């Protein structure tokens, strides 16, 4: 069952990895959380697969001893901020996020200082150091609802995604100062490729994540977070969808609607850079390895954790209130 593999030492053979991971999950009293952009075999073995908001709620509520986060660093860090007594593991510590990296803490502090009366709303795709400088965290699922809840005369600064920020401004009608960050995956979809796909599949609806650029969102029939895209395809009456987000989500889409066609969109110049290079650093072998060795762990200084927790808690409380309003 054990074999030597480069860089990983001895580990189960590929065919026995799922069983070995399942055994470790029991032995470690672990819960495996996976984002929709993970490889299909990771989504299939996870206890829960979801979007950033759902995953942070699960991480906050779990009583498992170990949270194995199959996603990127800011997601695992958020899990640790919310549930510090658990051991939080990330299969590959190098799994970062271009959007989070586009907002360095010191530069952001200088930017913020120019708008002292503004309330800082930050997307969850940020480091703990940016969360600690924020008043409120949001995800792409709840950003519009949360901004609408803010007092009308309250000026707002939004970071770090300029595309999500612009979209939230349009949907909420609230002007906001935007930090000029972006995601390397969602900013490289090709408009020409979407137009070609639309021509070849006139029956297909276009659905997009709000991190895409404005020219692509203008072509979309529906815009929403990963979980909202998933619920939309179940209720929309279309035989095919052109999907403008990371193609990992097509696994859940095809599972939920097996008779529907889902078409991914290439990046500019036809590259396959529509796959997030950070999300794709995780794989089953690294997942097994981290559960076996209980490394790499997410750790952060307690004072930073406490400061970052305040705006995340505010998000969860305000989201609960918005959910109550929507489902009285
Ligand atoms: P969701 O919150 O929609 O899952 O998006 C996370 C993300 O990283 C998008 O690129
Ligand atoms: Fe970050 Fe973009 Fe990857 Fe999402 S798709 S994790 S925003 S780099």
């Amino acid at each position: 069952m054990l074999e030597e593999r480069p860089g990983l030492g001895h580990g189960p053979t590929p065919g026995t990895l799922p069983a070995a991971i399942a055994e470790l999950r029991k032995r470690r009293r672990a819960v495996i959380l996976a984002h929709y952009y993970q490889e299909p075999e990771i989504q299939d073995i996870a206890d829960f697969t979801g979007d950033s908001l759902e995953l942070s709620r699960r991480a906050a509520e779990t009583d498992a001893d170990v949270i194995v986060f199959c996603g990127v660093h800011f997601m695992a860090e958020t899990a640790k901020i919310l549930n510090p007594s658990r051991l939080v593991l990330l299969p590959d510590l190098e799994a970062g996020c271009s959007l989070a990296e586009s907002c360095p803490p010191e530069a952001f502090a200088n930017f913020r200082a120019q708008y002292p009366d503004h309330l800082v709303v930050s997307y969850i795709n940020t480091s703990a150091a940016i969360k600690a400088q924020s008043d409120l965290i949001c995800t792409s699922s709840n950003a519009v609802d949360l901004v609408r809840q803010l007092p009308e005369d309250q000026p707002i600064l939004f970071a770090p995604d300029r595309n999500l920020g612009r979209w939230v401004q349009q949907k909420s009608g609230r002007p906001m100062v935007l930090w000029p960050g972006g995601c390397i995956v969602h900013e490289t979809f090709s408009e020409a490729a979407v137009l070609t796909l639309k021509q070849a599949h006139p029956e297909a609806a276009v659905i997009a994540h709000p991190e895409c650029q404005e020219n692509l969102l203008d072509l979309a029939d529906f815009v929403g977070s990963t979980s909202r895209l998933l619920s939309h395809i179940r209720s929309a009456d279309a035989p095919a969808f052109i999907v403008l987000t990371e193609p990992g989500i097509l696994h859940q889409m095809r599972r939920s609607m097996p008779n529907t066609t889902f078409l991914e969109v290439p990046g500019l110049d036809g590259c396959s850079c529509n796959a997030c290079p950070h999300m794709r650093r995780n794989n089953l072998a690294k997942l097994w390895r981290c559960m076996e060795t209980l490394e790499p762990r997410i750790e952060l200084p307690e004072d930073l954790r406490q400061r970052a927790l305040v705006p995340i808690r505010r998000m969860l409380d305000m989201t609960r209130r918005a959910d109550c309003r929507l489902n009285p």
Side-chain angles (χ1 to χ4, degrees):
M1 175 157 164
L2 293 179
E3 70 170 15
E4 178 88 28
R5 273 169 306 113
L8 289 172
H10 289 283
T13 53
T16 59
L17 273 169
I21 291 168
E23 187 275 318
L24 273 173
R25 167 171 33 208
K26 249 197 220 150
R27 179 148 53 93
R28 300 291 194 202
R29 278 200 19 88
V31 65
I32 303 175
L33 303 180
H35 189 265
Y36 289 127
Y37 296 164
Q38 291 292 282
E39 299 288 346
E41 58 268 30
I42 292 185
Q43 296 189 36
D44 288 346
I45 210 166
D47 295 289
F48 180 75
T49 301
D51 74 357
S52 308
L53 178 63
E54 294 160 343
L55 289 168
S56 51
R57 280 174 169 156
R58 292 281 170 148
E61 287 160 8
T62 187
D63 60 359
D65 293 341
V66 180
I67 300 172
V68 188
F69 214 112
C70 298
V72 290
H73 190 274
F74 77 82
M75 295 180 173
E77 191 173 63
T78 303
K80 186 69 182 176
I81 292 168
L82 281 163
N83 208 339
S85 61
R86 313 294 158 196
L87 200 64
V88 179
L89 306 174
L90 180 64
D92 188 326
L93 207 51
E94 299 295 308
C97 167
S98 62
L99 192 44
E101 280 152 26
S102 74
C103 193
E106 212 174 303
F108 186 63
N110 293 334
F111 184 73
R112 236 182 82 223
Q114 296 170 43
Y115 304 95
D117 56 341
H118 283 51
L119 189 122
V120 178
V121 181
S122 296
Y123 192 27
I124 199 164
N125 295 39
T126 47
S127 63
I130 298 295
K131 289 186 174 80
Q133 297 185 45
S134 306
D135 299 298
L136 176 65
I137 299 302
C138 69
T139 73
S140 46
S141 269
N142 60 19
V144 174
D145 290 336
L146 298 190
V147 166
R148 278 186 181 142
Q149 285 185 50
L150 300 175
E152 271 178 28
D153 57 352
Q154 173 64 62
I156 303 167
L157 186 159
F158 187 90
D161 189 36
R162 57 187 154 212
N163 298 308
L164 176 66
R166 191 189 333 94
W167 180 73
V168 172
Q169 284 190 122
Q170 285 164 3
K171 300 289 281 185
S172 65
R174 299 292 301 270
M176 304 193 295
V177 171
L178 304 181
W179 171 267
C183 156
I184 49 163
V185 176
H186 289 86
E187 288 204 330
T188 52
F189 285 117
S190 149
E191 181 178 346
V194 177
L195 294 173
T196 307
L197 279 169
K198 266 170 78 90
Q199 224 165 26
H201 303 271
E203 74 292 359
V206 180
I207 57 174
H209 195 280
E211 286 175 22
C212 293
Q213 291 192 329
E214 193 169 22
N215 58 331
L216 290 152
L217 294 185
D218 286 346
L219 295 174
D221 299 294
F222 180 78
V223 177
S225 65
T226 51
S227 57
R228 292 202 182 202
L229 295 181
L230 266 169
S231 45
H232 177 75
I233 57 155
R234 292 181 197 120
S235 59
D237 191 17
F241 292 93
I242 296 166
V243 184
L244 277 160
T245 192
E246 216 274 359
I249 198 169
L250 298 188
H251 180 56
Q252 296 294 336
M253 290 183 166
R254 291 186 175 126
R255 214 153 109 169
S256 132
M257 304 286 287
N259 299 319
T260 302
T261 303
F262 296 99
L263 302 154
E264 61 179 278
V265 183
L268 298 164
D269 307 323
C271 68
S272 59
C273 33
N274 58 353
C276 172
H278 305 289
M279 286 278 180
R280 304 299 175 125
R281 290 188 77 94
N282 297 324
N283 57 36
L284 276 192
K286 290 182 192 172
L287 172 55
W288 174 82
R289 171 67 64 197
C290 83
M291 292 176 76
E292 172 67 19
T293 60
L294 297 179
E295 297 284 352
R297 299 173 188 194
I298 302 290
E299 312 272 12
L300 69 169
E302 180 56 16
D303 65 322
L304 175 61
R305 187 194 73 79
Q306 286 193 14
R307 282 184 288 125
L309 177 63
V310 175
I312 303 175
R313 277 258 158 258
R314 205 168 276 148
M315 167 184 81
L316 295 176
D317 291 346
M318 287 175 69
T319 309
R320 249 189 307 271
R321 285 208 291 276
D323 286 350
C324 290
R325 275 208 321 269
L326 295 172
N327 308 298

